[in-house]
Amino acid sequence: RVHGETALSHLMLLSLRAVATRAAASQCVWARQASGPAVSLLDSPRALFDDSHAAFRATVRRFLAENVAPRHAQFEKEGVVPRDVWTAAGEQGILGACAPVEFGGSGGDVRFAAVVWEEQAYSGCSGPGWTVHADIATPYIVKYGTPEQKKRYLPSLIRGETVAAIAMTEPGTGSDLQSVRTTATRDGSDWRLNGAKTFISNGASADVVIVVARTAPPAKSGYGLSLFLVDAAAPGFKRGKRLEKIGLHAQDTAELSFEDIRLPGSSLLGVEHGAFGHLMSELPQERLAIADGAVAACEAMYELTRSYVRERRAFGKSLAEFQGLRWRLADIKTQTLVTRAFVDQCIAEHVRGALTAETASMAKLAATELQVAVAGQCV
């Protein structure tokens, strides 16, 4: 009995402490600087960035506000972002922030890409498929392309005159690389490409697509996969229907098919049969982009909800005056800031070239799970 009473007292003490902690945390919802308005999570200081990133962030935020947000509803109806937005973004350096200077880029590190990921989430404009174009597809050409391939594609990709996509997923097989059925077979010094892909982001507007194709049986050469640069103008390149999705309506997603496309030998990107290694080496950045965008969406949802509860009134007072709602907002802010700290750590590791696929996967899992939870709570 004594032990039971002691345990009960301990639990009561912990509960009281939890209530006090939550009450104190609820004050952080309205935390203010020494002077001025409450600090927005969209603008809170982060040691990860310096003044150059802040200046770039201002450029991206202004561009989205002036060139994308006013037209985004129309983009969602049409299911695609028009090319003038791409070229305008290219002129502002948004599509080449991390690309080599020699091809027209700014030569920045991944923190500049993170600025774009975050600002796009803050703006609520999912439309332009910039991440796939600039931070997933373009790096393959930068890292594995020949001098001729880089010279041919990178300048126009950076300027937004050419839109890029990457095609891995296939009907019936998903993203299981072992089951890829699209084939590229030798035809003298050329290749013959046949197959189909689905759920391809930027698929309806892409001018060049990095295609994963089987070039050897798996038992003969690992996964037996290779990457190819395929121009959308090539005879035999066909676009299927534009796919309707639950969300991201302005970001075009399409089916692609390749009917006996003759590709020159120079279209091979990277090492023959080496696609699996190339793809695995790029996964950390792809996962990091999703994680950073997800936690940025949480920050944006929190700020929208905080503004709403301040303005909405019920029973003679604003919703912000109800302690229960303050506690819920405190929970959201706490979880968001904790996840933000982890994702920022991952970005810093990626800058150093130390981010592993496993850590990036954890960041993606944590951030996207939180994004779903925050969306539900805020609604």
Side-chain angles (χ1 to χ4, degrees), residues 38 43 79 90 117 156 180 211 214 242 273 340 368:
D43 297 302
W117 304 336
S156 61
V180 167
V211 177
R214 181 166 302 286
R242 190 176 297 156
H273 311 317
R340 164 54 69 201
T368 54

Side-chain angles (χ1 to χ4, degrees), residues 293-364:
V295 73
C298 293
E299 293 165 341
M301 289 186 286
Y302 168 82
E303 291 298 342
L304 286 170
T305 305
R306 183 170 69 157
S307 297
Y308 175 78
V309 299
R310 279 175 159 174
E311 298 169 1
R312 181 77 163 85
R313 299 186 64 82
F315 303 103
K317 58 183 178 180
S318 72
L319 296 183
E321 296 179 67
F322 289 91
Q323 190 175 49
L325 286 177
R326 292 167 69 99
W327 283 5
R328 291 184 68 180
L329 282 171
D331 285 343
I332 292 171
K333 184 174 183 179
T334 300
Q335 294 166 24
T336 298
L337 288 176
V338 169
T339 306
R340 164 54 69 201
F342 177 40
V343 172
D344 277 5
Q345 176 184 320
C346 290
I347 295 173
E349 289 183 6
H350 195 41
V351 171
R352 299 193 301 270
L355 181 63
T356 65
E358 292 78 11
T359 303
S361 296
M362 289 188 283
K364 176 183 175 183

Side-chain angles (χ1 to χ4, degrees), residues 185-197:
T185 55
R186 285 283 189 181
D187 185 2
S189 60
D190 295 341
W191 296 88
R192 290 281 187 177
L193 181 68
N194 288 277
K197 302 289 183 178

